[in-house]
C-alpha cells in the first residue's frame, strides 16, 4: 500500500531539486536575487559594425539580464554605419517597437501569404515603427552618418532568425536542388550563396 505522507514529501523534495525552466531559462530562487540580476552595462559603447552588413544588434534579453525571466520584454541597441543594413529577419516570439535615436533609417516588413505586401517607411530621429510578430523585416541606414536605434521586443527571449543565414547558411546545407527550385534559379547561383553563408 502507498504511504501518501511519504509520497507527498518525496514529490516536494523532487520539485525543490528540479530546475524550473521558463522559455528555456531557469528561474532563480527569489531569496538569492541580487541587483546585478536586473542590470546590464553592455550598451554604453557603440556596437562594432565592421562586418559584411555594416550593422550590429546588441541584445539585452534574459540571457544578459536574468531578472527579465518571465517578464515578456527585452530590447536591443542597433548601430549602423552609413549604408549599414540589419538584414531581413524574424523574431519567433516577439513584436518589435523600433525607435530611431540618430540618423535616417529606411525600414520595411512584408505581410503574410498570399498578399505579401511590402510596408516601408523612411524614419527620422525620434520616429517609431512597429514590426509585427514573426513578419520578415529589415532596417537600412540611408544617411551619410552613423545611425543608432533602440528596439523593444515583446518577449524576454525573442529569438532571431536571419533569413539569408537560415536558408543559405544552415548546417548541414539544405539540398541545392531544393533551393534552386524554391527560388526558381540555377544550382550554380544557389551554390554561390551557400558558399557565402
Ligand atoms: C532587432 O532585432 C531589430 O530588428 O532591431
Ligand atoms: Mn528585428
Amino acid at each position: 500500500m502507498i504511504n501518501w505522507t511519504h509520497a507527498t514529501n518525496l514529490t516536494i523534495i523532487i520539485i525543490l531539486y528540479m530546475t524550473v525552466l521558463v522559455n528555456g531559462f531557469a528561474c532563480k530562487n527569489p531569496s538569492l536575487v541580487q541587483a546585478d540580476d536586473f542590470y546590464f552595462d553592455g550598451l554604453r559603447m557603440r556596437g562594432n559594425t565592421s562586418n559584411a552588413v555594416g550593422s550590429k544588434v546588441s541584445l539585452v534579453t534574459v540571457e544578459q539580464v536574468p531578472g527579465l525571466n518571465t517578464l515578456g520584454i527585452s530590447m536591443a541597441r542597433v548601430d549602423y554605419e552609413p549604408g549599414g543594413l540589419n538584414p531581413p529577419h524574424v523574431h519567433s516570439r516577439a513584436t518589435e517597437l523600433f525607435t530611431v535615436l540618430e540618423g535616417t533609417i529606411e525600414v520595411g516588413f512584408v505581410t503574410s501569404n498570399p498578399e505579401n505586401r511590402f510596408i516601408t517607411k523612411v524614419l527620422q530621429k525620434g520616429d517609431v515603427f512597429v514590426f509585427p510578430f514573426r513578419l520578415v523585416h529589415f532596417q537600412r541606414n540611408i544617411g551619410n552618418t552613423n545611425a543608432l536605434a533602440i528596439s523593444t521586443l515583446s518577449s524576454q527571449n525573442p529569438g532571431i532568425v536571419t533569413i539569408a543565414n537560415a536558408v543559405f547558411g544552415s548546417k548541414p546545407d539544405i539540398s541545392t536542388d531544393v533551393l534552386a527550385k524554391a527560388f526558381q534559379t540555377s544550382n550554380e547561383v544557389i551554390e554561390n550563396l551557400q558558399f557565402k553563408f
Side-chain angles (χ1 to χ4, degrees):
M1 197 166 107
I2 298 173
N3 178 333
W4 287 107
T5 311
H6 285 156
T8 309
N9 287 345
L10 189 64
T11 310
I12 292 168
I13 290 165
I14 289 170
I15 288 171
L16 284 177
Y17 280 90
M18 265 170 42
T19 306
V20 180
L21 297 179
V22 178
N23 200 351
F25 287 84
C27 282
K28 209 166 169 172
N29 180 339
S31 61
L32 300 177
V33 157
Q34 306 289 326
D36 278 352
D37 292 316
F38 301 89
Y39 170 78
F40 184 64
D41 65 2
L43 296 190
R44 291 180 183 181
M45 310 289 280
R46 216 183 115 66
N48 182 2
T49 58
S50 306
N51 53 53
V53 289
S55 78
K56 174 70 184 174
V57 177
S58 307
L59 284 165
V60 187
T61 70
V62 67
E63 221 167 314
Q64 288 75 30
V65 179
L68 280 173
N69 210 13
T70 76
L71 297 184
I73 192 167
S74 60
M75 67 167 297
R77 170 186 173 135
V78 194
D79 289 281
Y80 312 79
E81 57 190 43
L85 173 73
N86 183 11
H89 63 277
V90 298
H91 302 290
S92 329
R93 291 174 290 274
T95 286
E96 176 173 342
L97 197 54
F98 179 85
T99 308
V100 179
L101 299 189
E102 297 294 341
T104 304
I105 300 180
E106 173 196 15
V107 298
F109 68 83
V110 180
T111 69
S112 55
N113 296 352
E115 292 82 9
N116 299 127
R117 255 190 87 198
F118 178 45
I119 309 284
T120 184
K121 184 102 184 144
V122 172
L123 307 181
Q124 310 293 337
K125 178 174 175 167
D127 292 354
V128 175
F129 198 79
V130 177
F131 300 113
F133 212 84
R134 294 186 182 145
L135 295 185
V136 174
H137 62 280
F138 71 89
Q139 308 109 23
R140 182 163 64 126
N141 177 9
I142 56 169
N144 301 320
T145 57
N146 289 333
L148 170 64
I150 292 287
S151 285
T152 44
L153 297 136
S154 63
S155 165
Q156 64 273 5
N157 184 18
I160 301 185
V161 180
T162 303
I163 306 304
N165 299 51
V167 174
F168 301 112
S170 66
K171 295 171 203 75
D173 277 344
I174 298 175
S175 148
T176 307
D177 293 344
V178 168
L179 294 181
K181 195 155 201 136
F183 286 84
Q184 299 281 288
T185 188
S186 66
N187 282 17
E188 197 191 348
V189 167
I190 298 296
E191 275 160 14
N192 261 326
L193 286 164
Q194 287 178 320
F195 180 74
K196 275 209 181 85
F197 287 94

